[in-house]
């Protein structure tokens, strides 16, 4: 689905542009060559230290809770066909993941610093969390390849939905509807769901790395096209630096590729230190969100990073449990009303449909243009899950990848 890892360049092959394949040589190049067209490409790995849970990791408990939402398959929460029939599971999840709940990482602020210094040509991100924006990276410098929570619109008439109304609705874990009275269609953030096309902006800017004088790739598995193709657009001789837990794509195959393997935040600090920017970067990070820094300091005195992430996951799952309780109470109330109406004739078709919809009102199947079929058939569900993996679902939500791939 992505690029196959290429053979690493022979250690005896000298760089064409850099003095050496090292982070210090990259720093010297940035300063001496007066670099001003840096293209950055990022994935979920730059956000995990912010506490945003990884969807696929078996240790987060998130997938288990998604399964409890009566979804036909876990990925249905991000499927546009399923969203049309039952948007509530997505908004229960959005309630915990919505921008403003997580602090940008040091890696996000490094990108902001590149922009402040007039060096950032463009940031391509796979992430939907808007942490780049929270860190202060300008809107016109960002290409959100898979969309984000930054904007939202009606899925029917495409009318934009006000940001303040969206935030208020999501905070209540409710489903927003179009502000145009005669429409009343469902509103969805401009996130690319399975079954939707990538934004036009991505394809308009896809070849931009060819104009770069430096490419930085961070926190991505480069596992799915077309995002995986971006580093390949860089011209031969243009340094490419990978800050990642593992080698991905064809990074490391060129003479001027530099691999900085490990934690993204640590790798960014190493590069900032080599540039002489570390104090500036830390100050920017600490002063932009002082209240977050205070909380983080208090927590760090008592808890490890894993424990803090575990707390975030526990909070999220608790919210899902509360929403499930509301849904179950609603279903019980409807069941009692239907029992009184139909006597002892047994559960009605309406009740069966209610349970299938996770507590929402029954929907006439004849009105569903794209409803997933045979959701109770285990073979079909398995096929749908495999189809999701094979047909670009992971590129929509890179957090759904295994942590080891970041």
């Amino acid at each position: 689905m992505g690029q196959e890892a290429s053979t690493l360049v022979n250690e005896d092959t000298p760089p064409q542009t850099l003095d050496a394949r090292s982070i210090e040589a990259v720093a010297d190049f940035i300063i001496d060559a007066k670099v001003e067209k840096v293209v950055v490409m990022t994935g979920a790995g730059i956000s995990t230290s912010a506490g945003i849970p990884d969807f696929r990791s078996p240790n987060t408990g998130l997938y288990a809770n998604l399964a409890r939402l009566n979804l036909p398959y876990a990925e249905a929460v991000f499927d546009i066909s399923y969203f049309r029939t039952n948007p509530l599971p997505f908004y229960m999840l959005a309630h915990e993941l919505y921008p403003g709940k997580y602090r940008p990482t040091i890696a996000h602020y490094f990108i902001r610093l590149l922009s402040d210094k007039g060096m950032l040509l463009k940031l391509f991100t796979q992430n939907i969390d808007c942490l780049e924006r929270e860190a202060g990276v300008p809107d016109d410098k960002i290409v959100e390849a898979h969309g984000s929570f930054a904007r939202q619109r009606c899925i029917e008439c495409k009318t934009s939905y006000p940001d303040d109304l969206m935030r208020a609705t999501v905070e209540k874990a409710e489903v927003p509807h179009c502000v145009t009275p005669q429409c009343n269609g469902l509103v969805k953030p401009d996130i690319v769901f399975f079954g939707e096309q990538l934004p036009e902006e991505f394809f308009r800017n896809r070849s931009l790395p060819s104009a770069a004088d430096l490419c930085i790739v961070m926190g991505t598995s480069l596992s799915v096209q077309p995002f995986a193709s971006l580093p390949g657009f860089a011209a031969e001789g243009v340094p490419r630096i990978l800050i990642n837990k593992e080698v991905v794509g064809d990074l490391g195959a060129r003479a001027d590729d530099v691999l900085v393997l490990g934690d993204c935040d640590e790798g960014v600090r190493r590069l900032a230190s080599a540039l002489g920017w570390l104090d500036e970067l830390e100050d920017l990070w600490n002063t932009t969100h002082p209240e977050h820094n205070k909380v983080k300091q208090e927590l760090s005195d008592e808890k490890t990073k894993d424990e803090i992430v575990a707390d975030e996951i526990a909070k999220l799952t608790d919210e899902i449990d509360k929403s499930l309780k509301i849904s179950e109470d609603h279903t019980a109330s409807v069941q009692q009303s239907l029992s009184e109406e139909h006597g002892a004739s047994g559960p009605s078709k309406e009740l069966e449909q209610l349970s299938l919809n996770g507590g929402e009102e029954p929907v006439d199947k004849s009105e569903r243009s794209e409803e997933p079929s045979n959701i109770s058939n285990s073979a079909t569900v398995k096929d749908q899950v495999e189809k999701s993996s094979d047909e670009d679902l992971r590129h929509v939500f890179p957090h759904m990848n295994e942590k080891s791939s970041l």
Side-chain angles (χ1 to χ4, degrees):
M1 295 174 69
Q3 295 181 343
E4 294 297 327
S6 300
T7 303
L8 298 184
V9 66
N10 192 298
E11 292 183 2
D12 295 330
T13 302
Q16 299 177 31
T17 305
L18 300 174
D19 292 334
R21 280 188 289 273
S22 68
I23 203 164
E24 292 75 19
V26 171
D28 290 342
F29 171 74
I30 291 173
I31 296 169
D32 296 342
K34 296 181 172 56
V35 167
E36 58 182 13
K37 292 184 290 185
V38 180
V39 172
V40 180
M41 307 154 208
T42 64
I46 73 166
S47 294
T48 52
S49 66
I52 296 179
D54 183 294
F55 283 81
R56 277 199 185 276
S57 173
N59 297 320
T60 64
L62 183 55
Y63 248 176
N65 279 278
L66 286 177
R68 294 167 60 193
L69 298 179
N70 291 325
L71 297 170
Y73 49 98
E75 288 91 340
V77 72
F78 307 125
D79 188 298
I80 188 60
S81 298
Y82 188 80
F83 179 85
R84 288 179 178 276
T85 64
N86 186 11
L88 186 58
F90 170 77
Y91 278 105
M92 289 171 62
L93 190 63
H95 175 69
E96 282 304 314
L97 300 181
Y98 204 70
K101 292 181 177 289
Y102 297 92
R103 181 194 182 188
T105 68
I106 201 78
H108 292 102
Y109 279 101
F110 180 77
I111 302 169
R112 152 79 182 275
L113 196 55
L114 287 173
S115 177
D116 288 351
K117 293 179 178 295
M119 296 181 178
L120 183 65
L121 178 61
K122 193 70 73 174
L123 163 66
F124 291 84
T125 180
Q126 294 173 283
N127 300 336
I128 64 168
D129 51 37
C130 294
L131 291 183
E132 303 86 5
R133 296 172 182 274
E134 294 268 336
V137 179
D139 179 82
D140 64 351
K141 294 292 185 181
I142 304 172
V143 174
E144 290 159 328
H146 307 138
S148 76
F149 282 105
R151 301 177 183 86
Q152 54 280 323
R153 68 192 71 246
C154 173
I155 64 174
E156 303 299 342
C157 70
K158 310 305 179 185
T159 298
S160 295
Y161 192 79
D163 292 344
D164 57 342
L165 290 181
M166 187 67 173
R167 181 172 292 278
T169 304
V170 171
E171 284 179 355
K172 293 183 287 187
E174 295 178 352
V175 177
H177 288 80
C178 185
V179 293
T180 304
Q182 59 268 33
C183 177
N184 198 40
L186 292 169
V187 170
K188 181 182 79 65
D190 286 348
I191 295 169
V192 181
F193 274 26
F194 177 62
E196 295 185 310
Q197 295 295 318
L198 268 64
E200 180 184 344
E201 184 183 18
F202 173 80
F203 294 102
R204 231 182 12 249
N205 291 280
R206 184 180 179 183
S207 63
L208 202 55
S210 63
D213 47 23
L214 174 68
C215 288
I216 302 176
V217 181
M218 296 192 289
T220 174
S221 62
L222 289 183
S223 60
V224 179
Q225 296 288 359
F227 193 92
S229 67
L230 292 176
F233 281 98
E236 287 289 341
V238 170
R240 304 186 303 176
I241 180 170
L242 174 69
I243 303 175
N244 211 44
K245 286 189 174 180
E246 62 186 16
V247 179
V248 295
D250 72 339
L251 277 301
R254 297 185 184 182
D256 288 287
D257 287 351
V258 176
L259 307 179
V260 182
L261 302 184
D263 179 80
C264 286
D265 288 348
E266 292 176 6
V268 162
R269 283 189 169 95
R270 286 181 58 194
L271 178 56
S273 178
L275 286 162
W277 299 355
L278 185 57
D279 289 344
E280 185 179 2
L281 176 61
E282 296 282 4
D283 287 345
L284 179 63
W285 188 52
N286 290 329
T287 58
T288 307
H289 290 282
E291 69 285 356
H292 285 287
N293 189 58
K294 180 180 178 182
V295 171
K296 181 174 182 288
Q297 182 60 48
E298 291 173 351
L299 288 173
S300 66
D301 292 339
E302 304 174 359
K303 300 180 180 180
T304 66
K305 182 186 291 187
D306 287 344
E307 288 171 335
I308 294 172
V309 172
D311 285 347
E312 293 289 347
I313 294 165
K315 178 183 175 184
L316 189 153
T317 53
D318 182 60
E319 289 293 334
I320 291 178
D321 284 342
K322 289 178 181 178
S323 298
L324 282 171
K325 180 64 167 61
I326 293 172
S327 178
E328 289 166 358
D329 289 347
H330 176 61
T331 302
S333 175
V334 174
Q335 182 177 14
Q336 181 178 354
S337 298
L338 290 174
S339 296
E340 292 173 356
E341 179 179 347
H342 294 281
S345 60
S348 67
K349 291 183 178 179
E350 289 86 352
L351 181 58
E352 293 173 359
Q353 183 63 52
L354 179 68
S355 298
L356 197 60
N357 285 345
E360 290 210 332
E361 295 299 329
V363 178
D364 185 351
K365 288 187 178 181
S366 64
E367 297 177 358
R368 300 180 183 177
S369 59
E370 298 182 77
E371 181 183 49
S373 62
N374 300 325
I375 63 174
S376 63
N377 184 296
S378 60
T380 303
V381 171
K382 182 176 184 294
D383 290 342
Q384 288 172 322
V385 174
E386 290 176 351
K387 178 181 179 183
S388 298
S389 297
D390 292 342
E391 297 185 9
D392 292 355
L393 182 63
R394 283 183 296 158
H395 81 264
V396 177
F397 286 88
H399 290 92
M400 297 178 71
N401 286 326
E402 297 284 352
K403 282 186 177 179
S404 63
S405 67
L406 298 176

